Amino acid sequence: MVFTRFVEVGRIVLINYGPDKGKLATIIDIVDGNKCLIDGPVNVTGVMRQVIPYKRIALTDLVVKVPKNARQKTLTKAWEENKIQAKWDNSVWAKKLAAKEKRKNMNDFERFQLMVARQQKAALIKEKIKDITV
């Protein structure tokens, strides 16, 4: 398996720590071996231009073709042309994060309903397997 997620200008990243946790951003410049300059764009993702350590971001498979230190307008145009938000929303990673958030926000009764539904599903599966094996 070949490594394909490199730190590069135009790489879309997911911020995994801090006030912007869970938001997407674009690497627009490499500061040094430990930090990079990212930008949302603000009007799309809500992330301001900032220097952030690599430990606080996760590289995604998505890349946009933008020049180094691209302006906000250029970055927004690249995001819209490449439909980055739509691609992210359809990715398995984003769907897992959404499911995790949904489970986290469940109340006690919804957790109970989920437990009952799982029990019913298990009973149906057990019954079908019993029919097949007999």
Side-chain angles (χ1 to χ4, degrees):
M1 213 161 128
V2 180
F3 186 75
T4 56
R5 292 181 186 170
F6 298 105
V7 175
E8 59 184 322
V9 174
R11 174 71 61 183
I12 307 299
V13 296
L14 177 69
I15 301 172
N16 57 25
Y17 186 82
D20 292 323
K21 181 180 180 178
K23 296 181 182 177
L24 293 178
T26 309
I27 296 177
I28 53 173
D29 197 4
I30 312 299
V31 176
D32 60 22
N34 295 317
K35 295 183 286 281
C36 64
L37 180 66
I38 62 168
D39 195 350
V42 175
N43 56 350
V44 178
T45 65
V47 178
M48 300 287 288
R49 185 174 288 224
Q50 60 187 298
V51 174
I52 193 165
Y54 294 133
K55 290 196 293 188
R56 293 187 176 193
I57 59 175
L59 303 174
T60 67
D61 289 331
L62 305 172
V63 181
V64 292
K65 189 166 178 64
V66 292
K68 191 173 179 182
N69 286 321
R71 296 178 357 178
Q72 188 96 85
K73 188 177 175 182
T74 310
L75 203 54
T76 304
K77 186 178 176 188
W79 268 61
E80 289 170 359
E81 284 178 359
N82 292 306
K83 298 181 178 85
I84 294 299
Q85 194 63 49
K87 287 180 184 177
W88 171 253
D89 291 338
N90 290 329
S91 71
V92 175
W93 191 353
K95 288 177 184 175
K96 275 186 187 176
L97 289 176
K100 189 176 182 181
E101 185 67 25
K102 187 176 180 183
R103 281 193 310 270
K104 187 177 99 175
N105 291 327
M106 290 174 94
N107 62 30
D108 189 42
F109 184 64
E110 290 168 337
R111 282 191 295 274
F112 173 75
Q113 287 178 317
L114 180 64
M115 179 193 72
V116 170
R118 283 184 177 161
Q119 288 174 347
Q120 290 172 345
K121 178 183 166 190
L124 283 174
I125 291 172
K126 187 176 180 181
E127 185 180 310
K128 294 291 181 183
I129 290 175
K130 187 177 175 184
D131 290 343
I132 293 171
T133 55
V134 172

